[in-house]
C-alpha cells in the first residue's frame, strides 16, 4: 500500500513480502466489523448492505485503482449477479451458497466477454462503452419483464436457511454474518492478488500502458484477467444483496448505482483496497442518517464532498490519512498501529 | 405509412436539433482542452429554469427569455470555469469526471430545493402552438420553430468558426494546442470564451427543450447520457460530427420508438457501442 | 463519587421510565412514500392528506398518541421499500405500516407485513393483486381494474366501437390495459391495436402517431401520473387528433390538476374515469377542499384523499380495538368500516379488505376560464372485479 520507490526496485520480492504481511490496524479494522452485532443489533440490515456495497467497491477498485480502467457501468455485473441469484431461487433452488457461486460464475462469464472489448479502448471511448453497456443491460432487463419482472421487480425469491440451520430473519443477523464472511474471503483473494507480481504489473499498466508493452509485458491479457475477476466479485456482491433481502429489481442495474460506487471508491481512496470499504461505511451511514433528516436533498452534501475531495484530497480519505500517518509525527504516534503484526525475525 | 414515416422523421429531426444545441458546446470544449465536463447539462438546466422563472413569475414572453437563458448559462459556466475547472486541466479524466459529477449533484439538489421536483409547466405563446398540415402530414408548429431556430444558430456558429479570426484561433487550438500556444495564440482566453459560448448554447437548448421533454431537477443527469452519446459518436471538437451524431440519435430514437416500441431505447446504446467500436474517435473525430 | 453515581442512576431510571411510558402510550405509524424523484408529488399529496386528518381530528386516539415516522422511497424501488419497511419495524418500532404510492413498493413491503405481522394501510397502490399479498392489509385508494372496466363498459355504451390502448409498461399499466380491453370487448367492441410504453418515457409523439394510424374511434391511455400526462396531452395536440372523431379516454391520472395546467387547451374533451376529483360537488368534499387549501395552498387530489381516508381507517380501527395494535385485531376492526369520505360514500369490503366506492366518469371542460374535470356520469358501489371473479 505504499508507493513503489527506488528502494523497492532493488528487491521486489522483499517489497511484496513486506506488503502482504498483516498490519495491526488491519486486524483492528476487521475485528471492529463484528461490533454491530453487539452495539447496534437494530442496524444489522444496514450493516449487511454496507458489506455488500464494500465488496462491490472492492471489485471496482481492482479495475480502477489498480488497472486504471474507468468504468461508468460496473453495476452491470452487480445487477447480473443479483438477477441470476434471484432467478435461481425463484426457479426452486434456494440454497444460498451454491446460488452465490453460480451467480458469481455467470457474472464472470459476462465480464470475460466484455473484457475483450474493454481492453482495446481508452479515454472517452472506454468511458462511453462502459456507460453504454451498463445502460444496455438495464434496458434489456426492463424489456425482458417476462424474465426479470420488469419495473415490478422479481417476485417469489425465497431462500433456504443458510447451511440448513440459519434462516434469513427480519433482524438481519444471518444476513450480516453471511455478507461479512463473503466480503472477508473475497477481500483475502483481492489482497493476495494485488500484492503479487500480477498486481505490480497492473499498477504498471495504470501508470503507463505503452511503456509496459515496451518492456515486454503484454497489457491486454492482464486487463482481461483483472476485469473478469472484478466482474465475478461484483456479481457475488449483487447475489448476496438479492439473497439477504429476498428481492431484486431494476435498481441494481441503473446508472445511479454505478455512479454511487464510483463516488464511494473515490471518497475512500482508490488503489488501497481498504478505500472502498471505508468509503462504503462512511457513505452509507451518512446517507442513512441524512435521509432521516432530509430525504430529498441528500445529493447536495455528497456533491460538495466530491468537489472537495477532488480539489483538496485527491487520494480520498485513506490517502489523506496515509499522508498524515507517514509524516514524521504520524510515524511516531501511529507507527505501532501501522506496523506489521509480528516483528520480522532477524536472521 | 409513408406519411407517418415522414412525421416521425420530422420529429426525430427536431429532437436531433435539440440534442445538437445541448451537445455542441461540450464537443468543442472537450476537443479543445480535453476537459470532461459532465456538468454540461447543468448549464442546460439553468437555462431552462431561468426561462421558466421569467415566464411564470415575471410574465415575460417566451421568445424574450431565450437570450437571457443563453446569457445566464454562459455566465454560470464562466464562474465554474474560473473557480473550479481550470485547476483540473492537467488532471486525469477521472478527476474531471468526479468534480463535474459533484457539481451535477449539487445542482440537482439545489434546484429541487428551490423549485421542487415537479415538472415545470411553460405556456408557449399561441403562435407557437398547434400544428400545420402539409401534404397529408401533420407538423407541430413548435418543432418547426425549433428546427429553424437551431439551423440559424448552427449557421452562425459555423460562420463564426470559418470566417472570423477568433474562429480560426479556436480551430487551431483544437487541432494542436501546443503549436497554437507556440504561435502566440492566447489559448486560455479562447477557451474561456468558447466555454462560455458552449454553456450558453446548452442553456438555450435547455430552455427550448422544456416544451418537448419537460423540465425538472433530474434534467442535468438524464440528458447527460444522450449528450455524451452524441459527443462521443460525433467526434470531439467537430461541429459537423456533433450535428450528424445528433441527427442520427434523434431520428433513430424516434424511429425506434415508432417501429419497435419494445426495444426502442435499447437501440440507441447498441448503435453507440457499435459505432464507437468501429471508430473510437467518433465519426469525425481526430483523436481519442 | 457516590453522589454522582446515584445521580446518574436516577437519571437513567427516569429516562428509561419516560421512554417506556412514552412507548406504551404511542402508536407509531410508518409512512413509506416517495418524497423525492419522479413521483415526489404523489408522496407529498398523500402525506398532506395524512397531516390534514391528524390536524382535524387531533393526534390522540383511544388514549394513544399517534406518531408518524416518514421514510422516502424515492420512486419505483421495491428493494428500498422492503428495506424501509423492515427498518421501520426493527429500528423505529412502528406498529402500523402505511403509505405505498406505487405497486412494486407495496408488494415488497407486504412481505415484511406478513413476516412481522403488522397492520398495513395501502393508501395508493392500485393493482388488484396487491391486497392479496398480506392478510393484514387494507386499501383506501382504488383498484385499476375497478375503474377501467367501468370505463370500458361505459365507452361502448356511449358509442365507441374501435379502441386502441396505450399503457405504461408495468403492473398497473398492464392491469389497466387488460381491464379496459376485457370490458370493452365483453360489451361488444373491437380492439384495433395496443402498445406499451417504457415506464420512464418522456416523449409520446411516436406512440400517439402509431395509435392514430390504427384508425380507432377511441384511444385509451393509462399513465401513473407524474410528468407524463402533460407530455401526452401535447403530443395529442401536435399529432392533430380531433377529439370529436377520436375520443381520448383514460384513468384519472391523465387529467389531474397539474397535468391539465401543463397540457393547456390540448386537454379539453379528454374523458377519464376515477374515484375522486376536487370538484366533486358534495358538502363533505367542499369542506375538505377548503381546509386543504387553507393548510397547503393547493387543491387536494386522489392521492390526498387516499392518505386522508387511510388515516381515518387507522383511527377508527384503533378506536374499535381500544388502542390494541395487534395486526389481527386491527384488521378485524377495519373490515366492514363504512363512512362518508370527501370522495363520496365508501367502505372496506369485509371479505377482500379492499375498497368499495363510486366510480365517476368526467370530462375536461373549461369552467370560469380554468380547465376542470366535470362529472358527467357515475357508477356506484364498485368493487375490484378481478378479486371478485377469483372468489367465485
Amino acid at each position: 500500500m505504499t508507493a513503489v520507490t527506488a528502494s523497492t526496485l532493488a528487491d521486489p520480492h522483499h517489497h511484496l513480502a513486506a506488503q502482504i504481511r498483516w498490519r495491526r490496524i488491519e486486524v483492528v479494522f476487521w475485528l471492529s466489523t463484528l461490533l454491530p452485532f453487539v452495539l447496534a443489533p437494530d442496524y444489522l440490515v444496514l450493516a449487511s448492505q454496507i458489506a455488500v456495497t464494500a465488496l462491490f467497491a472492492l471489485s471496482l477498485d481492482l479495475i480502477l485503482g489498480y488497472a486504471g480502467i474507468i468504468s461508468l457501468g460496473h453495476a452491470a455485473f452487480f445487477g447480473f449477479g443479483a438477477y441470476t441469484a434471484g432467478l435461481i431461487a425463484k426457479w426452486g433452488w434456494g440454497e444460498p451458497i451454491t446460488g452465490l457461486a453460480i451467480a458469481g460464475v455467470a457474472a464472470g462469464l459476462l465480464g470475460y466477454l466484455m473484457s475483450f472489448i474493454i481492453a482495446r479502448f481508452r479515454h472517452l471511448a472506454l468511458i462511453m462503452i462502459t456507460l453504454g453497456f451498463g445502460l444496455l443491460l438495464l434496458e434489456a432487463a426492463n424489456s425482458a419483464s417476462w424474465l426479470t419482472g420488469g419495473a415490478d421487480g422479481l417476485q417469489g425469491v425465497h431462500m433456504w436457511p443458510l447451511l440448513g440451520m440459519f434462516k434469513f430473519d427480519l433482524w438481519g443477523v444471518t444476513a450480516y454474518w453471511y455478507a461479512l464472511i463473503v466480503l472477508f474471503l473475497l477481500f483475502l483473494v483481492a489482497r493476495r492478488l494485488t500484492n503479487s507480481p500480477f498486481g505490480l504489473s497492473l499498477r504498471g499498466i495504470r501508470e503507463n500502458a505503452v511503456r509496459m508493452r515496451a518492456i515486454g509485458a503484454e497489457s491486454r491479457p492482464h486487463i482481461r484477467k483483472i476485469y473478469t475477476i472484478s466482474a465475478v466479485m461484483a456479481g457475488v456482491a449483487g447475489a448476496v444483496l438479492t439473497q439477504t433481502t429476498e428481492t431484486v429489481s431494476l435498481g441494481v442495474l441503473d446508472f445511479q448505482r454505478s455512479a454511487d460506487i464510483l463516488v464511494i471508491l473515490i471518497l475512500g481512496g482508490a488503489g488501497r483496497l481498504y478505500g472502498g470499504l471505508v468509503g462504503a461505511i462512511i457513505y452509507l451511514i451518512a446517507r442513512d442518517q441524512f435521509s432521516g433528516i432530509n430525504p430529498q436533498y441528500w445529493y447536495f452534501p455528497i456533491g460538495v464532498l466530491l468537489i472537495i475531495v477532488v480539489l483538496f484530497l485527491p487520494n480520498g480519505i485513506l490517502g489523506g490519512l496515509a499522508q498524515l500517518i507517514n509524516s514524521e509525527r504520524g510515524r511516531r504516534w501511529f507507527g505501532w498501529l501501522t506496523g506489521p503484526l509480528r516483528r520480522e525475525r532477524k536472521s | 405509412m409513408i406519411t407517418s414515416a415522414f412525421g416521425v422523421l420530422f420529429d426525430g429531426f427536431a429532437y436531433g436539433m435539440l440534442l445538437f444545441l445541448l451537445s455542441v458546446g461540450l464537443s468543442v470544449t472537450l476537443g479543445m482542452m480535453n476537459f470532461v465536463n459532465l456538468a454540461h447539462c447543468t448549464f442546460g438546466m439553468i437555462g431552462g429554469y431561468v426561462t421558466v422563472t421569467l415566464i411564470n413569475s415575471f410574465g415575460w414572453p417566451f421568445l424574450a427569455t431565450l437570450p437571457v437563458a443563453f446569457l445566464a448559462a454562459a455566465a454560470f459556466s464562466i464562474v465554474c470555469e474560473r473557480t473550479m475547472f481550470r485547476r483540473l486541466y492537467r488532471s486525469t479524466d477521472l478527476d474531471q469526471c468526479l468534480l463535474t459529477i459533484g457539481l451535477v449533484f449539487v445542482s440537482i439538489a439545489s434546484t429541487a430545493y428551490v423549485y421542487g421536483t415537479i415538472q415545470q409547466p411553460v405556456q408557449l405563446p399561441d403562435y407557437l402552438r398547434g400544428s400545420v398540415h402539409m401534404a397529408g402530414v401533420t407538423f407541430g408548429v413548435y418543432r418547426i420553430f425549433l428546427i429553424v431556430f437551431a439551423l440559424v444558430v448552427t449557421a452562425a456558429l459555423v460562420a463564426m468558426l470559418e470566417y472570423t479570426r477568433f474562429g480560426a484561433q479556436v480551430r487551431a487550438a483544437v487541432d494542436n494546442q501546443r503549436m497554437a500556444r507556440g504561435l502566440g495564440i492566447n489559448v486560455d482566453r479562447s477557451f474561456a470564451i468558447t466555454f462560455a459560448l458552449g454553456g450558453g448554447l446548452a442553456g438555450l437548448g435547455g430552455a427550448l427543450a422544456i416544451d418537448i421533454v419537460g423540465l425538472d431537477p433530474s434534467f442535468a443527469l438524464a440528458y447527460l447520457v444522450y449528450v455524451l452519446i452524441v459527443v462521443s459518436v460525433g467526434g470531439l471538437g467537430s461541429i459537423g460530427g456533433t450535428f450528424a451524431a445528433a441527427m442520427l440519435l434523434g431520428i433513430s430514437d424516434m424511429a425506434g420508438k415508432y417501429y419497435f416500441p419494445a426495444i426502442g431505447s435499447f437501440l440507441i446504446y447498441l448503435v453507440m457501442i457499435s459505432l464507437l467500436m468501429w471508430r473510437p474517435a467518433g465519426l469525425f473525430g481526430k483523436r481519442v | 463519587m457516590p453522589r454522582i453515581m446515584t445521580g446518574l442512576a436516577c437519571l437513567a431510571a427516569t429516562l428509561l421510565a419516560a421512554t417506556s411510558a412514552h412507548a406504551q402510550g404511542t402508536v407509531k405509524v410508518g409512512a413509506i412514500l416517495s418524497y423525492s424523484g419522479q413521483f415526489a408529488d404523489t408522496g407529498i399529496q398523500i402525506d398532506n392528506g395524512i397531516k390534514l386528518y391528524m390536524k382535524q381530528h387531533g393526534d390522540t386516539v383511544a388514549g394513544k398518541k399517534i406518531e408518524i415516522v416518514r421514510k422516502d422511497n424515492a420512486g419505483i424501488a421495491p428493494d428500498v421499500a422492503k428495506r424501509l419497511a423492515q427498518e421501520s419495524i426493527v429500528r423505529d418500532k412502528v406498529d402500523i405500516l402505511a403509505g405505498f404510492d406505487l405497486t412494486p413498493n407495496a408488494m415488497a413491503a407486504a412481505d415484511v407485513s406478513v413476516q412481522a405481522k403488522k397492520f398495513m394501510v395501502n393508501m395508493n397502490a392500485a393493482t388488484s393483486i396487491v391486497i392479496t399479498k398480506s392478510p393484514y392489509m387494507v386499501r383506501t385508494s382504488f383498484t385499476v381494474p375497478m375503474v377501467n372496466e367501468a370505463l370500458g363498459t361505459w365507452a361502448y355504451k356511449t358509442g365507441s366501437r374501435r379502441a386502441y390502448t396505450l399503457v405504461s409498461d408495468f403492473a398497473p399499466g398492464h392491469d389497466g390495459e387488460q381491464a379496459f380491453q376485457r370490458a370493452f370487448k365483453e360489451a361488444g367492441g373491437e380492439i384495433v391495436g395496443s402498445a406499451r410504453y417504457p415506464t420512464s418515457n418522456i416523449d409520446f409523439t411516436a406512440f400517439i402517431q402509431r395509435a392514430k394510424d390504427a384508425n380507432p374511434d377511441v384511444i385509451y391511455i393509462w399513465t401513473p401520473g407524474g410528468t407524463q400526462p402533460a407530455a401526452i396531452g401535447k403530443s395529442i395536440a401536435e399529432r392533430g387528433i380531433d377529439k370529436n372523431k377520436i375520443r381520448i379516454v383514460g384513468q384519472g391520472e391523465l387529467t389531474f390538476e397539474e397535468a391539465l395546467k401543463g397540457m393547456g387547451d390540448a386537454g379539453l374533451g379528454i374523458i377519464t374515469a376515477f374515484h375522486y376529483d376536487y370538484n366533486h360537488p358534495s358538502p363533505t368534499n367542499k369542506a375538505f377542499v377548503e381546509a386543504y387549501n387553507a393548510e397547503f395552498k393547493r387543491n387536494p387530489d386522489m392521492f390526498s384523499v387516499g392518505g386522508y381516508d387511510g388515516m381515518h381507517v387507522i383511527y377508527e380501527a384503533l378506536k374499535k380495538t381500544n388502542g390494541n395494535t395487534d395486526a389481527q385485531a386491527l384488521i378485524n376492526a377495519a373490515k366492514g368500516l363504512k363512512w362518508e369520505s370527501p370522495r363520496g360514500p365508501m367502505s372496506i369490503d369485509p371479505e377482500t379488505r379492499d375498497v368499495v366506492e363510486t366510480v365517476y366518469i368526467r370530462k375536461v371542460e373549461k369552467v370560469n376560464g380554468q380547465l376542470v374535470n366535470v362529472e358527467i356520469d357515475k357508477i356506484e358501489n364498485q368493487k375490484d372485479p378481478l378479486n371478485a371473479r377469483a372468489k367465485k
Side-chain angles (χ1 to χ4, degrees):
Chain A
M1 284 179 248
T2 54
V4 179
T5 60
S7 59
T8 63
L9 288 176
D11 192 351
H13 289 291
H14 264 182
H15 170 74
L16 286 178
Q19 289 284 54
I20 205 158
R21 222 174 277 128
W22 280 87
R23 314 248 162 142
R24 292 196 195 107
I25 193 170
E26 294 182 67
V27 177
V28 168
F29 176 83
W30 286 105
L31 283 178
S32 55
T33 58
L34 295 173
L35 286 177
F37 284 111
V38 176
L39 291 183
D42 287 345
Y43 287 77
L44 290 180
V45 170
L46 177 65
S48 60
Q49 306 216 321
I50 293 179
V52 166
T53 308
L55 183 58
F56 187 28
L58 187 63
S59 76
L60 186 65
D61 201 8
L62 287 179
I63 55 171
L64 181 64
Y66 287 91
I69 302 172
I70 304 177
S71 173
L72 285 182
H74 212 52
F77 303 112
F78 184 81
F80 195 72
Y83 269 104
T84 308
L87 285 169
I88 293 173
K90 181 180 172 163
W91 290 334
W93 182 253
E95 207 285 305
I97 301 182
T98 43
L100 191 74
I102 298 175
V105 167
L109 266 165
L110 186 65
Y112 181 67
L113 291 173
M114 268 309 283
S115 69
F116 284 95
I117 302 177
I118 296 291
R120 286 155 56 90
F121 297 99
R122 293 180 303 141
H123 297 308
L124 187 63
L126 178 63
I127 295 177
M128 289 312 295
I129 288 180
T130 56
L131 179 64
F133 181 61
L135 291 172
L136 190 66
L137 209 63
L138 175 64
E139 280 309 318
N142 200 359
S143 307
S145 51
W146 54 273
L147 182 69
T148 60
D152 299 315
L154 204 60
Q155 303 289 326
V157 177
H158 292 299
M159 303 306 304
W160 301 345
L162 187 60
L163 298 178
M165 288 187 284
F166 307 103
K167 243 173 100 149
F168 284 104
D169 59 305
L170 197 63
W171 268 258
V173 177
T174 315
Y176 187 45
W177 273 117
Y178 185 48
L180 194 59
I181 293 177
V182 171
L183 171 66
F184 186 64
L185 290 175
L186 285 176
F187 178 82
L188 290 178
V189 170
R191 198 169 183 280
R192 197 77 180 77
L193 210 62
T194 51
N195 287 316
S196 68
F198 178 61
L200 274 184
S201 66
L202 286 180
R203 268 177 258 182
I205 294 171
R206 181 190 67 202
E207 298 300 324
N208 198 328
V210 180
R211 190 174 281 180
M212 286 297 285
R213 302 267 296 280
I215 63 173
E218 268 300 328
S219 58
R220 284 206 196 151
H222 288 315
I223 290 181
R224 288 205 297 269
K225 226 178 273 180
I226 197 67
Y227 197 76
T228 309
I229 294 173
S230 166
V232 171
M233 260 194 208
V236 167
V240 172
L241 183 67
T242 303
Q243 294 181 336
T244 52
T245 54
E246 291 190 314
T247 182
V248 56
S249 68
L250 293 174
V252 295
L253 285 168
D254 64 19
F255 175 65
Q256 197 67 63
R257 195 167 286 264
S258 295
D260 278 351
I261 204 69
L262 195 57
V263 171
I264 285 174
L265 184 61
I266 297 303
L267 269 182
R272 286 170 189 279
L273 279 191
Y274 282 96
L277 311 193
V278 168
I281 294 173
I282 296 178
Y283 185 87
L284 287 182
I285 291 183
R287 183 168 76 177
D288 189 68
Q289 295 304 305
F290 242 103
S291 290
I293 303 171
N294 225 338
Q296 285 175 282
Y297 313 123
W298 159 247
Y299 278 101
F300 187 87
I302 282 298
V304 170
L305 201 57
L306 207 52
I307 294 176
I308 292 178
V309 163
V310 173
L311 288 178
F312 304 115
L313 259 184
N315 287 319
I317 291 175
L318 279 195
L321 279 178
Q323 264 183 327
L324 221 79
I325 292 179
N326 280 330
S327 64
E328 266 307 309
R329 272 226 193 123
R331 235 188 276 269
R332 261 187 286 145
W333 290 5
F334 296 108
W336 60 277
L337 254 188
T338 56
L341 203 49
R342 282 183 297 274
R343 292 235 169 266
E344 210 181 302
R345 246 173 280 151
K346 306 255 180 189
S347 51
Chain B
M1 261 310 245
I2 306 280
T3 50
S4 45
F6 242 149
V8 170
L9 216 73
F10 172 76
D11 279 344
F13 194 60
Y15 185 48
M17 294 292 351
L18 199 60
L19 286 177
F20 173 70
L21 282 178
L22 282 171
S23 322
V24 67
L26 184 61
S27 179
V28 177
T29 51
L30 243 170
M32 255 183 104
M33 284 298 221
N34 240 321
F35 182 75
V36 184
N37 176 19
L38 296 183
H40 190 73
C41 282
T42 302
F43 305 147
M45 188 172 74
I46 287 176
Y49 274 103
V50 162
T51 297
V52 162
T53 316
L54 286 177
I55 293 184
N56 292 340
S57 307
F58 295 100
W60 281 38
F62 177 69
L63 288 180
T65 65
L66 294 180
V68 183
F70 177 88
L71 289 170
F76 184 74
S77 59
I78 292 249
V79 168
C80 287
E81 199 259 335
R82 293 279 115 172
T83 54
M84 292 184 285
F85 296 174
R86 46 189 358 223
R87 295 157 168 255
L88 294 183
Y89 287 159
R90 305 259 174 276
S91 296
T92 58
D93 288 344
L94 183 64
D95 282 342
Q96 294 169 355
C97 278
L98 292 170
L99 179 83
T100 48
I101 286 186
L103 189 60
V104 172
F105 286 167
V106 169
S107 66
I108 292 181
S110 316
T111 33
Y113 183 73
V114 175
Y115 289 97
T117 51
I118 56 174
Q119 271 291 300
Q120 297 296 330
V122 66
Q123 292 288 46
L124 292 177
D126 285 327
Y127 52 86
L128 280 180
R129 296 212 243 167
S131 46
V132 293
H133 294 266
M134 277 195 285
V137 194
T138 331
F139 296 103
V141 172
Y142 185 69
R143 279 174 215 254
I144 297 179
F145 163 71
L146 186 61
I147 293 179
V148 169
F149 192 86
L151 283 175
V152 166
V153 167
T154 314
L157 259 180
V158 172
M160 182 201 76
L161 263 178
E162 294 293 317
Y163 299 117
T164 65
R165 216 164 132 244
F166 173 69
Q169 290 175 340
V170 169
R171 274 183 292 133
V174 172
D175 268 346
N176 193 328
Q177 208 197 95
R178 208 172 285 172
M179 183 73 104
R181 261 190 233 271
L183 287 175
I185 294 178
N186 189 343
V187 170
D188 286 330
R189 199 187 60 127
S190 306
F191 183 66
I193 298 180
T194 314
F195 198 81
L197 204 60
L201 281 174
L204 199 57
L208 290 168
I210 304 174
D211 197 64
I212 306 265
V213 297
L215 179 68
D216 64 39
S218 66
F219 183 89
L221 209 52
Y223 279 86
L224 179 64
V225 179
Y226 289 115
V227 165
L228 281 178
I229 293 179
V230 167
V231 165
S232 54
V233 168
L236 307 179
S238 156
I239 292 194
T242 312
F243 191 84
M247 284 313 118
L248 189 65
L249 190 67
I251 294 177
S252 52
D253 192 47
M254 282 290 155
K257 286 208 186 111
Y258 184 76
Y259 292 108
F260 314 103
I263 62 163
S265 16
F266 219 113
L267 212 59
I268 305 285
Y269 306 124
L270 220 54
V271 167
M272 173 191 77
I273 293 180
S274 329
L275 275 170
L276 277 179
M277 282 175 62
W278 172 45
R279 301 188 82 117
L283 290 173
F284 293 89
K286 297 185 175 93
R287 58 169 191 277
V288 178
Chain C
M1 211 31 195
R3 218 181 291 161
I4 299 178
M5 294 308 290
T6 337
L8 280 174
C10 285
L11 189 63
T14 343
L15 279 176
L16 207 63
T19 46
S20 53
H22 192 239
Q24 270 175 355
T26 322
V27 170
K28 287 195 182 171
V29 177
I32 300 177
L33 294 163
S34 298
Y35 291 97
S36 64
Q38 206 189 4
F39 296 98
D41 208 47
T42 310
I44 291 174
Q45 287 286 67
I46 298 179
D47 196 52
N48 287 346
I50 294 176
K51 283 193 200 143
L52 186 62
Y53 193 88
M54 290 185 72
K55 178 155 193 243
Q56 289 182 337
H57 296 82
D59 60 359
T60 315
V61 178
K64 302 277 183 84
K65 188 158 141 48
I66 307 284
E67 192 186 313
I68 310 280
V69 178
R70 294 176 165 79
K71 303 261 181 207
D72 182 12
N73 215 147
I76 302 182
D79 50 343
V80 175
K82 195 166 190 177
R83 177 170 58 86
L84 292 176
Q86 184 270 348
E87 273 173 19
S88 311
I89 294 176
V90 167
R91 273 203 234 171
D92 305 290
K93 318 275 188 283
V94 305
D95 307 291
I96 299 175
L97 292 171
F100 311 110
D101 38 16
L102 297 158
T103 296
N105 301 344
M107 300 227 276
D111 276 347
V112 179
S113 154
V114 173
Q115 223 184 345
K117 295 204 182 36
K118 296 284 177 195
F119 185 52
M120 178 169 160
V121 180
N122 173 6
M123 295 170 171
N124 191 54
T127 316
S128 286
I129 197 175
V130 175
I131 199 78
T132 61
K133 291 288 177 184
S134 164
Y136 309 116
M137 189 194 317
V138 295
R139 182 174 5 219
T140 58
S141 51
F142 68 105
T143 74
V144 169
M146 172 197 337
V147 165
N148 291 287
E149 279 199 15
L151 182 61
T153 320
W154 185 90
Y156 186 86
K157 249 189 355 178
T158 52
S160 298
R161 294 289 177 266
R162 300 161 48 85
Y164 184 96
T165 66
L166 177 64
V167 304
S168 179
D169 195 5
F170 70 135
H174 303 163
D175 260 17
E177 179 191 80
Q178 277 169 10
F180 182 85
Q181 286 189 357
R182 185 202 180 104
F184 194 70
K185 280 198 285 204
E186 260 181 24
E190 185 197 345
I191 308 290
V192 297
S194 68
R196 294 175 172 180
Y197 61 85
T199 53
S200 55
N201 194 50
I202 299 179
D203 185 47
F204 289 84
T205 343
F207 295 103
I208 299 288
Q209 183 63 48
R210 263 184 94 100
K212 190 178 175 199
D213 288 342
N215 216 357
D217 56 19
V218 62
I219 301 180
Y220 166 81
I221 303 180
W222 193 96
T223 164
T227 60
Q228 292 173 338
I232 293 176
K234 282 188 213 155
S235 298
I236 292 175
E238 271 182 25
R239 291 287 102 214
I241 293 185
D242 180 1
K243 294 201 199 69
N244 291 320
K245 299 221 190 78
I246 306 180
R247 290 202 293 180
I248 308 287
V249 304
Q251 191 175 296
E253 282 97 338
L254 187 59
T255 58
F256 78 112
E257 201 183 354
E258 291 301 322
L260 288 177
K261 280 204 207 132
M263 272 196 238
D265 285 351
L268 277 171
I270 297 184
I271 296 173
T272 51
F274 221 32
H275 58 297
Y276 180 73
D277 186 80
Y278 70 94
N279 286 301
H280 176 62
S282 82
T284 323
N285 191 37
K286 280 210 165 54
F288 175 66
V289 174
E290 255 180 55
Y292 199 91
N293 267 299
E295 187 76 18
F296 305 110
K297 317 266 182 298
R298 62 186 287 194
N299 286 319
D301 56 22
M302 60 291 214
F303 305 116
S304 325
V305 94
Y308 190 79
D309 284 322
M311 286 314 286
H312 181 85
V313 167
I314 291 178
Y315 273 49
E316 292 303 308
L318 277 173
K319 278 189 206 158
K320 273 201 192 167
T321 65
N322 236 334
N324 179 10
T325 56
D326 172 62
Q328 196 58 55
L330 280 174
I331 201 75
N332 290 338
K335 285 184 193 172
L337 274 177
K338 264 200 208 354
W339 70 100
E340 178 76 21
S341 148
R343 68 183 89 175
M346 75 180 272
S347 64
I348 303 288
D349 184 289
E351 264 186 49
T352 61
R353 298 167 275 107
D354 216 336
V355 57
V356 183
E357 60 195 341
T358 307
V359 174
Y360 304 96
I361 309 285
R362 320 90 55 86
K363 192 171 188 186
V364 178
E365 285 172 17
K366 210 165 217 170
V367 174
N368 296 332
Q370 258 198 320
L371 290 174
V372 290
N373 291 304
V374 174
E375 282 170 26
I376 57 178
D377 208 344
K378 72 178 178 202
I379 308 146
E380 293 184 313
N381 283 330
Q382 290 296 289
K383 291 190 194 186
D384 179 66
L386 285 191
N387 289 329
R389 273 195 284 269
K391 284 260 178 324
K392 282 201 204 110

